[in-house]
């Protein structure tokens, strides 16, 4: 009964918001067009260059088995810290170095390919889905330069790293310490002789490599197009504070990063950089929606992800109170 009531309230709020948004699109076409254009521009100029190549490569690494090789290279550093499987180590590497939402995307792909368990994916999702270093250095630090860059770098990446380590030995201490799973290889591929082998021992023919590249590119194109749609939609939601809070520009700027982080950060003043660095781990509602699209049909719950994001945001706020930027 309670669950049914919650669902009805959610649907009422969701479709009510969409109805009001449609009215705003008709009433304020110029503002809506500018917001949509800005979302598309940011997607094309920032998101595609920063994420699309990593989407292709990560899919290719997973499908050919080279993800295991990368994990083994990083194992001397990461394995003593996390005591986890090679597949999990690859997800950690991708999440931290390739940037949001690659952490969620690779978790979902690894889970669907049965390289990690659902519980392992839940643990990984709690801390690896972060803003990427390329985006952070090229966009955020350009907008909000600081006197001590090391402070914000550690706040952005050391905190989630330590948070994941704490979770590993508390809530997720039951996770396995070594991988015993094998990647399924079709018989037609196993039967091929005298062909190069992947790090998993799977024969790799040129046809298989080209097929894997083709599938990775198609998957990446679908993924990056979805992210662009989310950026446009959540940029349009800025119509609400623009209309209802026109007399409070400071409040509008404060709310904007909570809707869509890229455009929201561009609206903040340089003097508001502390707020910018605090909300980065949360990523805004747009990032949450993008994460939901990445883990769709995997059985993973979005609620724990949001909870851990809020915890990391609070920890980040404490970090910058102790070490001001």
């Amino acid at each position: 009964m309670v669950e049914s009531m919650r669902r009805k309230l959610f649907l009422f709020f969701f479709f009510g918001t969409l109805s009001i948004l449609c009215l705003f699109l008709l009433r304020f076409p110029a503002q809506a067009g500018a917001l949509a254009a800005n979302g598309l521009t940011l997607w094309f100029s920032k998101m595609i260059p920063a994420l699309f190549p990593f989407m292709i490569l990560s899919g290719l690494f997973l499908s050919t088995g080279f993800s295991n090789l990368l994990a083994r290279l990083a194992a001397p550093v990461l394995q003593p810290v996390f005591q986890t499987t090679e597949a999990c180590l690859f997800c950690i590497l991708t999440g931290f170095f390739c940037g949001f939402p690659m952490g969620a995307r690779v978790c979902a792909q690894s889970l669907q390919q049965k390289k990690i368990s659902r519980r392992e994916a839940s643990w990984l999702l709690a801390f690896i889905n972060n803003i990427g270093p390329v985006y952070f250095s090229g966009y955020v630090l350009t907008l909000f330069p600081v006197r001590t860059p090391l402070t914000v770098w550690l706040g952005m990446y050391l905190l989630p790293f330590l948070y994941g380590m704490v979770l590993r030995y508390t809530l997720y201490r039951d996770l396995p310490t070594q991988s015993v799973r094998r990647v399924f290889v079709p018989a037609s591929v196993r039967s091929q002789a005298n062909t190069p082998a992947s790090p998993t021992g799977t024969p790799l023919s040129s046809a298989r490599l080209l097929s894997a590249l083709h599938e990775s590119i198609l998957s990446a194109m679908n993924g990056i197009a979805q992210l662009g749609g989310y950026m446009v939609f959540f940029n349009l939601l800025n119509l609400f504070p623009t209309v209802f809070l026109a007399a409070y520009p400071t409040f509008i700027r404060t709310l904007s990063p909570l809707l869509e982080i890229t455009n929201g950060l561009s609206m903040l003043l340089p003097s508001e950089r502390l707020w910018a660095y605090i909300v980065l781990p949360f990523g805004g509602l747009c990032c949450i929606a993008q994460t939901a699209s990445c883990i769709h049909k995997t059985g993973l719950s979005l609620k724990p992800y949001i909870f851990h994001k809020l915890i990391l945001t609070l920890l980040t706020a404490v970090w910058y109170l102790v070490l001001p930027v």
Side-chain angles (χ1 to χ4, degrees), residues 190-246:
R190 289 200 302 268
S191 64
Q192 296 178 19
N194 301 320
T195 56
S198 73
T200 59
T202 305
L204 289 177
S205 64
S206 57
R208 175 176 167 78
L209 286 172
L210 289 175
S211 176
L213 177 60
H214 176 72
E215 292 175 1
S216 298
I217 291 175
L218 288 180
S219 176
M221 291 180 67
N222 180 61
I224 202 70
Q226 288 183 16
L227 298 184
Y230 280 109
M231 288 190 71
V232 171
F233 178 78
F234 280 90
N235 265 297
L236 284 175
L237 291 184
N238 279 298
L239 279 172
F240 286 92
T242 301
V243 172
F244 292 119
L245 303 171

Side-chain angles (χ1 to χ4, degrees), residues 116-132:
I116 63 176
S117 67
R118 186 173 297 174
R119 183 153 175 78
E120 286 172 327
S122 178
W123 165 60
L124 292 167
L125 201 60
F127 73 100
I128 70 169
N129 201 37
N130 304 302
I131 298 296

Side-chain angles (χ1 to χ4, degrees), residues 298-321:
T298 63
L300 293 172
S301 175
L302 193 63
K303 291 180 181 179
Y305 171 78
I306 296 174
F307 172 78
H308 291 300
K309 278 296 179 184
L310 290 173
I311 294 296
L312 281 171
T313 303
L314 290 174
L315 292 175
T316 303
V318 173
W319 173 269
Y320 291 124
L321 288 176

Side-chain angles (χ1 to χ4, degrees), residues 30-45:
Q31 294 92 323
L35 290 170
N38 190 45
L40 283 172
T41 300
L42 291 172
W43 171 70
F44 184 79
S45 62

Side-chain angles (χ1 to χ4, degrees), residues 44-276:
F44 184 79
S45 62
K46 301 296 180 183
M47 179 101 37
I48 292 180
L51 285 182
F52 190 61
F54 291 116
M55 285 183 168
I56 296 175
L57 290 175
S58 65
L60 194 59
F61 286 156
L62 283 171
S63 60
T64 59
F66 275 91
S67 58
N68 294 341
L69 176 60
L70 293 178
R72 289 168 195 165
L73 293 174
V77 176
L78 296 180
Q79 185 65 12
V81 176
F82 292 108
Q83 291 294 311
T84 188
T85 64
E86 289 180 350
C88 288
L89 292 181
F90 176 72
C91 291
I92 293 172
L93 283 174
T94 305
F96 275 90
F97 287 101
C98 297
F100 174 90
M102 287 305 300
R105 180 180 172 84
V106 172
C107 274
Q109 290 176 326
S110 299
L111 178 58
Q112 290 169 336
Q113 296 177 18
K114 302 186 185 305
K115 294 188 176 185
I116 63 176
S117 67
R118 186 173 297 174
R119 183 153 175 78
E120 286 172 327
S122 178
W123 165 60
L124 292 167
L125 201 60
F127 73 100
I128 70 169
N129 201 37
N130 304 302
I131 298 296
V134 174
Y135 177 95
F136 186 70
S137 61
Y139 184 69
V140 180
L141 282 176
T142 302
L143 284 177
F144 306 102
V146 294
R147 290 171 296 178
T148 54
L150 181 61
T151 300
V152 294
W153 278 101
L154 294 177
M156 190 70 241
Y157 299 105
L158 179 62
L159 285 181
F161 186 88
L162 295 177
Y163 185 68
M165 186 173 64
V166 171
L167 290 177
R168 173 67 181 89
Y169 297 105
T170 53
L171 297 178
Y172 295 91
R173 58 182 177 273
D174 59 311
L175 294 179
T177 58
Q178 59 181 354
S179 177
V180 292
R181 302 176 183 84
R182 296 181 61 187
V183 181
F184 173 74
V185 181
S188 59
V189 176
R190 289 200 302 268
S191 64
Q192 296 178 19
N194 301 320
T195 56
S198 73
T200 59
T202 305
L204 289 177
S205 64
S206 57
R208 175 176 167 78
L209 286 172
L210 289 175
S211 176
L213 177 60
H214 176 72
E215 292 175 1
S216 298
I217 291 175
L218 288 180
S219 176
M221 291 180 67
N222 180 61
I224 202 70
Q226 288 183 16
L227 298 184
Y230 280 109
M231 288 190 71
V232 171
F233 178 78
F234 280 90
N235 265 297
L236 284 175
L237 291 184
N238 279 298
L239 279 172
F240 286 92
T242 301
V243 172
F244 292 119
L245 303 171
Y248 305 95
T250 301
F251 197 48
I252 293 176
R253 291 199 306 270
T254 301
L255 286 177
S256 189
L258 298 178
L259 293 176
E260 198 282 312
I261 193 70
T262 303
N263 180 61
L265 292 179
S266 67
M267 295 176 65
L268 296 178
L269 301 176
S271 59
E272 297 169 321
R273 64 179 182 272
L274 177 60
W275 174 242

